[in-house]
Amino acid sequence: MEQKIIGELFGVEVHSPVARGEVREVVRKQLEFKAELQTNQNLTEDQAFLEIVDIFDNFFANISDEDEANFSKMHAEEVSAAPREWFGALIDEHEVVDNKYLEAGIAGVLYDVEVKYPFTRDNIRTLVKARSDLMGFLANTHGISIYQASNDLSDEQDLFLKKFNPSDQVFFLNLMTEEMNAHTNALNDETVKINQQVFKQDVENQYYAQIIGGVIGIFCLIFILFVVFK
């Protein structure tokens, strides 16, 4: 299958269809870039993380949904499988904290949902549903837009993630992105289904209205003929 370049991440050309080797190299270069931001540019871990998030956002904005889903899946897998030395000193500062969550099996509570640790897709799927419901609730009860409610919940999520190491943060965000896309697609499919049912009902109503109108017209014609020729 012919490959085409869809963008570049941390100096690595990424093609479609997405190849695992390229994604693996992106992960390695990404971690090197983050370390460089923290050590040479004196950025905090949070500042470096936000820089990387912006780079990924720009990359995803210019590729197809299919390529984004495939890349995100492979990226999450490669981050989890990456050699420890790729993270350098970045992982050490959070290691003790993450071990605490690993022993407990719980990462905390987000959007009123108990988050399992290590992160699991089923649990993240529940979290996405809770986030969607909470977003609608905030918009309806606090007089704000859906987008403002989404921003508030994203801030809450950012605070939740700060306590984890970079690989856990990326893995969590990849799962969230995939499940939020799936949730949105499911809502869109349901909306299309409802619209189709409404359209079908409207057509049936018009059909029956025409039949009834025709029957009434026939009776009126019979009545008029009866009066005229009586």
Side-chain angles (χ1 to χ4, degrees):
M1 181 180 296
E2 183 180 357
Q3 288 189 318
K4 64 176 181 178
I5 297 176
I6 56 176
E8 183 178 300
L9 278 171
F10 310 109
V12 179
E13 285 188 348
V14 181
H15 295 77
S16 176
V18 178
R20 182 171 294 277
E22 291 178 351
V23 177
R24 183 175 297 140
E25 184 64 10
V26 166
V27 170
R28 188 175 69 83
K29 293 290 188 179
Q30 169 191 335
L31 294 171
E32 290 178 357
F33 178 73
K34 188 172 188 292
E36 191 274 334
L37 290 176
Q38 292 181 242
T39 56
N40 297 338
Q41 298 189 29
N42 294 320
L43 295 187
T44 66
E45 182 183 351
D46 291 338
Q47 289 172 326
F49 180 72
L50 291 175
E51 290 283 340
I52 290 175
V53 168
D54 288 342
I55 291 172
F56 275 108
D57 285 344
N58 291 333
F59 173 72
F60 288 142
N62 296 299
I63 66 176
S64 69
D65 291 342
E66 181 181 1
D67 284 333
E68 179 180 349
N70 290 336
F71 182 95
S72 296
K73 179 178 182 296
M74 291 184 190
H75 187 274
E77 293 169 349
E78 290 302 321
V79 167
S80 298
R84 180 183 178 83
E85 55 267 22
W86 284 13
F87 295 92
L90 297 180
I91 198 170
D92 294 337
E93 58 191 274
H94 292 282
E95 187 178 55
V96 175
V97 176
D98 284 9
N99 283 341
K100 178 182 69 175
Y101 297 126
L102 183 61
E103 292 174 3
I106 299 172
V109 176
L110 180 63
Y111 310 141
D112 295 325
V113 173
E114 192 172 74
V115 182
K116 296 179 181 178
Y117 187 87
F119 305 123
T120 66
R121 183 173 296 279
D122 286 344
N123 188 232
I124 296 299
R125 189 171 294 147
T126 302
L127 199 62
V128 167
K129 176 63 167 59
R131 186 185 193 279
S132 178
D133 293 342
L134 188 56
M135 188 165 58
F137 173 79
L138 290 175
N140 291 331
T141 59
H142 289 66
I144 59 178
S145 70
I146 286 289
Y147 300 105
Q148 289 171 319
S150 178
N151 288 337
D152 289 344
L153 295 177
S154 293
D155 290 342
E156 183 179 343
Q157 178 178 291
D158 289 342
L159 289 175
F160 173 80
L161 282 178
K162 282 183 177 180
K163 57 192 177 184
F164 299 102
N165 68 52
S167 62
D168 277 339
Q169 293 179 21
V170 172
F171 184 62
F172 178 94
L173 289 173
N174 281 334
L175 286 179
M176 282 290 290
T177 299
E178 292 172 4
E179 291 305 320
M180 287 177 69
N181 287 338
H183 182 72
T184 300
N185 290 337
L187 291 178
N188 290 339
D189 290 344
E190 185 63 24
T191 300
V192 170
K193 182 178 179 180
I194 292 174
N195 289 338
Q196 289 175 338
Q197 291 175 341
V198 171
F199 177 74
K200 180 181 179 182
Q201 188 62 50
D202 286 343
V203 170
E204 290 178 351
N205 291 341
Q206 292 176 6
Y207 173 73
Y208 290 128
Q210 290 174 351
I211 292 177
I212 294 173
V215 171
I216 293 175
I218 292 174
F219 276 112
C220 289
L221 179 61
I222 293 174
F223 177 77
I224 292 172
L225 291 175
F226 176 78
V227 172
V228 172
F229 294 104
K230 182 176 178 182

